[in-house]
């Protein structure tokens, strides 16, 4: 069945270092991906998205890379800050299916050490 | 900045009881969603709602679940006879368009079934 998953449950980095969070998806029909950040006690917050016709997209301090060949997605956070500590989820949508349904991965907890 | 609100933040109920979780979506939004997150697991889609009817629902959303938009501002999720396995964080989301990147999530209601 369709699923979106993450490779590592917890990632610990030093403040100022770059972070890379990975995600694997299995649904070949997926053509739209979003990274969400979830802080304690809050709902998921949109960080960045990418469509399947792209392999890289950059935002402010964040970059998403998409490798459709191996169905892999990653989120890179540059110069990680304590405020980046949170759980990060990738989510998948089939844009062409015109549905608002998001399929989430398991989540990676990012811990930033001062 | 407008935001999705949810009440209560924490609901404790006994198995077999009915619960209603309430959400106030962002005022000009037309598309509404419920997701749930069992502790330590990924966020799961439950249902989407537009134009006073369900657009899509997951296999989790069985006959025990129902949604309603009783007035112009609230969006509710009712669980008729709660089970222990219904214990989870329930997130409401809303969007102005069907575009998934426009979904804004509320802070969630933690439901504990004892």
């Amino acid at each position: 069945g369709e699923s979106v998953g993450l490779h590592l449950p917890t990632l610990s980095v030093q403040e100022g270092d770059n972070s890379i969070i990975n995600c694997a998806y299995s649904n070949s029909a997926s053509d739209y991906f979003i990274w969400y950040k979830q802080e304690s006690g809050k709902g998921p917050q949109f960080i960045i998205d990418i469509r399947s016709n792209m392999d890289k997209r950059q935002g402010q301090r964040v970059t998403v890379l998409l490798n459709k060949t191996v169905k892999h997605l990653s989120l890179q956070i540059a110069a990680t800050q304590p405020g980046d500590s949170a759980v990060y989820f990738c989510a998948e949508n089939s844009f062409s299916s015109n549905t608002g349904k998001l399929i989430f991965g398991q989540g990676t907890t990012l811990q930033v050490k001062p | 900045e407008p935001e999705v609100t949810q009440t209560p933040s924490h609901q404790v109920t006994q198995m077999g009881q009915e619960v209603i979780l309430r959400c106030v979506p962002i005022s000009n939004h037309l598309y509404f969603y419920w997701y749930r997150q069992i502790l330590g697991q990924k966020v799961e889609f439950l249902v989407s709602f537009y134009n006073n009817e369900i657009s899509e629902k997951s296999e989790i959303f069985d006959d025990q679940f129902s949604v309603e938009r009783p007035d112009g501002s609230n969006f509710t999720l009712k669980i008729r006879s709660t089970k222990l396995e219904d214990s989870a964080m329930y997130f409401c989301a809303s969007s102005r368009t069907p575009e998934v990147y426009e979904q804004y999530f509320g802070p969630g209601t933690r439901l504990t079934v004892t």
Side-chain angles (χ1 to χ4, degrees):
Chain A
E2 55 187 17
S3 66
V4 181
L6 292 164
H7 291 305
L8 294 174
T10 304
L11 175 66
S12 185
V13 300
Q14 204 70 36
E15 181 179 356
D17 287 352
N18 296 333
S19 303
I20 299 177
I21 300 171
N22 295 305
C23 176
Y25 65 95
S26 60
N27 185 1
S28 299
S30 302
D31 52 14
Y32 182 66
F33 305 90
I34 301 177
W35 279 101
Y36 285 93
K37 174 184 182 183
Q38 185 180 21
E39 295 174 288
S40 181
K42 296 184 180 180
Q45 290 178 280
F46 174 94
I47 301 174
I48 191 168
D49 60 353
I50 189 167
R51 299 194 191 280
S52 59
N53 61 352
M54 304 171 69
D55 52 21
K56 180 179 180 179
R57 189 154 190 239
Q58 287 185 290
Q60 189 176 14
R61 278 201 311 118
V62 294
T63 301
V64 55
L65 299 177
L66 175 63
N67 185 330
K68 294 181 290 292
T69 303
V70 294
K71 296 184 191 145
H72 184 268
L73 192 69
S74 69
L75 176 70
Q76 300 178 359
I77 304 173
T80 314
Q81 301 168 0
D84 295 327
S85 294
V87 179
Y88 290 81
F89 294 94
C90 62
E92 164 259 333
N93 173 261
S94 177
F95 189 75
S96 55
S97 68
N98 198 30
T99 171
K101 174 183 176 181
L102 285 163
I103 298 172
F104 284 82
Q106 288 286 2
T108 292
T109 300
L110 177 64
Q111 298 173 340
V112 182
K113 296 176 287 188
Chain B
E1 183 178 319
E3 57 183 17
V4 176
T5 59
Q6 291 185 243
T7 54
S9 57
H10 190 191
Q11 173 88 49
V12 182
T13 189
Q14 287 190 325
M15 193 167 54
Q17 295 297 304
E18 174 184 286
V19 294
I20 298 176
L21 309 183
R22 291 184 166 80
C23 168
V24 179
I26 295 172
S27 62
N28 63 345
H29 284 191
L30 302 174
Y31 298 81
F32 313 107
Y33 311 86
W34 283 101
Y35 293 82
R36 80 170 186 191
Q37 184 180 28
I38 295 171
L39 186 63
Q41 299 187 24
K42 60 187 178 183
V43 178
E44 300 173 290
F45 171 82
L46 290 178
V47 66
S48 59
F49 189 87
Y50 169 71
N51 199 26
N52 281 320
E53 60 183 32
I54 291 173
S55 308
E56 186 174 3
K57 60 183 180 179
S58 72
E59 59 274 11
I60 301 169
F61 195 88
D62 61 22
D63 292 343
Q64 293 298 311
F65 292 87
S66 62
V67 289
E68 193 179 25
R69 188 153 162 82
D71 52 43
S73 60
N74 290 283
F75 180 51
T76 62
L77 174 69
K78 181 193 290 186
I79 309 175
R80 288 189 184 81
S81 179
T82 50
K83 303 186 285 286
L84 294 176
E85 53 265 38
D86 293 327
S87 295
M89 183 73 88
Y90 288 81
F91 293 105
C92 172
S94 70
S95 62
R96 187 176 53 86
T97 74
E99 302 289 348
V100 291
Y101 62 83
E102 288 203 358
Q103 284 186 35
Y104 289 84
F105 285 80
T109 292
R110 178 165 298 285
L111 176 65
T112 302
V113 183
T114 62

